[in-house]
Amino acid sequence: MKKYLLPESGNFYKANLHCHSNISDGKKTPEELKEMYKSHGYSVLAITDHNLLVPHPELNDSEFLTLNGYELNMNEAYTNHSSKLHICAIALEQDNITDPCWHKSKYIYTEERAMGHLVKKDENNEFERIYTPFGVNKMIGTLRENGFFVTYNHPSWSLENIEKFGQYEGMNAIEVYNNGCFIDGYHDNDIYCYDEFLRKRKRVFCVAADDNHNSFPPESRKFDSFGGFIVIKAPKLEYRTITKALENGEFYASTGAEIYDYYYEDGKVHITCSDAEHIILSSGVRYSRHACGNVDEYINEAVFDVPNDIEYFRVTVYGKNGKKAWTNAIYVEEITRW
């Protein structure tokens, strides 16, 4: 029986889930961001300003949707040697615009405090952010209980190691690629962190995102928009339809390569994609498979055996000019029960 790992039917919607405007430390207004992203083929944008949950329904139209979101931080100390935690939280319901982790006097940077009046919150709430595994899990749990999709941002930039992030629970997704980190010269590939979570049986998805601030013009190689994104497959461009697809992992992460079809049938996984130099299946154990053509040739599909005794599998498409795409991981024991 064929089991679709991306939905069989639906439309593909290009989305950036990590973006900053001039409400915090970005250089573009929300209106300018919409114009930029829509003109580059994006249908979905979460403007996730630092610690400020500010919805942008005025930007929505029949071809473009903004998701309510923000980026929260925890810091060990404000030095280049200390680790940090940044997560993005995206509301699953369009009318969910209240910050459940608000504190009336802490955690808002000086330059952002002037925008605090834009946030709907309980002025008496004093959610304390304690940078320990217990404190991080409390914040994640609070966000999840209040209807948010939670993404772990740029682990390498954050200087967190497995001893720390291995204790986190309840995240929906991990950034495996952060374009802003790449532009700034930091580690651009956090797929190792994704595998660490998966080996610990933490069911999470993988995303690629811009984390753009637009400090440089489009003609600069330091322009940080349009580098990392996800492609969501959903029946229509409506708020809850899109966030349900996020919850279900009905998307893939990319820096430019495309995936068209992805399914499992009779012990094999099938994938079709844009021109690829390599297509690789990875797993939680020492088992991998590699499909490729000859030098200067591209392939557009691959079929891989999936043994029952591997823990999980995921597929990476290595496309032209270094562009990649990553599927979400599937646990073999789950797919064989479908």
Side-chain angles (χ1 to χ4, degrees):
M1 180 179 175
K2 185 181 291 188
K3 302 167 183 178
Y4 284 90
L5 307 179
L6 280 175
E8 179 182 7
S9 61
N11 304 305
F12 287 110
Y13 298 108
K14 193 173 181 179
N16 177 22
L17 301 185
H18 190 173
C19 175
H20 297 283
S21 77
N22 64 352
I23 290 176
S24 62
D25 58 350
K27 303 302 181 185
K28 300 291 186 181
T29 65
E31 292 76 14
E32 289 171 325
L33 290 170
K34 173 188 175 175
E35 181 180 350
M36 287 169 47
Y37 275 91
K38 189 174 180 179
S39 68
H40 280 75
Y42 286 73
S43 302
V44 179
L45 182 65
I47 300 177
T48 53
D49 280 306
H50 292 285
N51 302 303
L52 297 170
L53 176 58
V54 180
H56 300 281
E58 73 281 359
L59 302 181
N60 298 340
D61 60 40
S62 62
E63 298 176 334
F64 193 83
L65 177 69
T66 57
L67 302 179
N68 307 335
Y70 64 140
E71 185 174 24
L72 300 88
N73 64 277
M74 286 187 177
N75 302 298
E76 190 173 73
Y78 289 92
T79 76
N80 289 334
H81 300 278
S82 61
S83 63
K84 301 174 184 287
L85 171 86
H86 286 198
I87 60 176
C88 278
I90 295 173
L92 297 175
E93 300 286 350
Q94 191 166 17
D95 61 357
N96 184 1
I97 58 174
T98 302
D99 180 0
C101 295
W102 179 262
H103 193 288
K104 62 183 180 182
S105 61
K106 297 181 180 179
Y107 314 123
I108 306 296
Y109 299 132
T110 301
E111 62 270 23
E112 295 155 7
R113 187 157 294 282
M115 298 294 186
H117 66 282
L118 299 175
V119 180
K120 183 178 179 181
K121 66 276 188 181
D122 178 357
E123 289 288 358
N124 296 316
N125 188 34
E126 293 192 351
F127 184 91
E128 294 285 348
R129 303 182 189 181
I130 303 170
Y131 189 31
T132 63
F134 175 82
V136 170
N137 289 338
K138 181 180 178 182
M139 184 163 75
I140 295 169
T142 298
L143 290 165
R144 292 291 302 273
E145 289 165 8
N146 283 274
F148 287 83
F149 181 95
V150 179
T151 299
Y152 181 30
N153 297 342
H154 43 59
S156 290
W157 178 91
S158 301
L159 298 182
E160 293 201 313
N161 55 32
I162 183 61
E163 286 77 17
K164 185 165 286 186
F165 67 67
Q167 299 182 67
Y168 299 160
E169 301 287 346
M171 293 176 178
N172 296 94
I174 295 171
E175 284 184 350
V176 297
Y177 177 85
N178 181 293
N179 196 52
C181 288
F182 168 71
I183 293 298
D184 287 341
Y186 296 101
H187 204 302
D188 66 322
N189 189 338
D190 276 318
I191 198 70
Y192 83 95
C193 179
Y194 188 41
D195 281 321
E196 293 286 4
F197 269 76
L198 295 171
R199 290 191 186 101
K200 286 181 172 290
R201 308 291 299 174
K202 298 175 190 286
R203 183 115 168 74
V204 291
F205 304 126
C206 66
V207 303
D210 276 340
D211 190 8
N212 53 307
H213 296 76
N214 299 109
S215 299
F216 296 90
E219 60 270 20
S220 170
R221 291 189 184 274
K222 290 188 175 183
F223 184 65
D224 57 2
S225 294
F226 320 132
F229 53 90
I230 65 170
V231 178
I232 303 165
K233 196 167 187 183
K236 53 189 174 182
L237 188 64
E238 291 184 353
Y239 196 103
R240 189 63 184 116
T241 304
I242 292 299
T243 58
K244 280 183 179 177
L246 287 180
E247 286 186 284
N248 294 334
E250 294 168 349
F251 61 87
Y252 66 88
S254 181
T255 60
E258 297 177 290
I259 296 174
Y260 306 134
D261 201 12
Y262 185 45
Y263 64 90
Y264 174 89
E265 185 176 31
D266 298 330
K268 300 178 184 293
V269 64
H270 301 247
I271 189 167
T272 60
C273 60
S274 56
D275 288 351
E277 296 179 354
H278 310 272
I279 305 174
I280 293 178
L281 179 139
S282 303
S283 72
V285 297
R286 196 171 291 111
Y287 176 87
S288 64
R289 288 295 180 266
H290 181 187
C292 63
N294 295 323
V295 175
D296 297 328
E297 292 181 348
Y298 296 102
I299 60 174
N300 298 98
E301 60 182 346
V303 180
F304 299 115
D305 289 324
V306 178
N308 287 332
D309 61 348
I310 66 172
E311 196 167 4
Y312 63 84
F313 65 88
R314 57 178 182 79
V315 178
T316 306
V317 175
Y318 294 79
K320 293 180 178 179
N321 301 317
K323 302 301 184 183
K324 298 179 184 177
W326 300 268
T327 70
N328 287 312
I330 302 293
Y331 282 98
V332 175
E333 66 179 31
E334 294 179 2
I335 197 172
T336 55
R337 290 200 304 264
W338 288 359

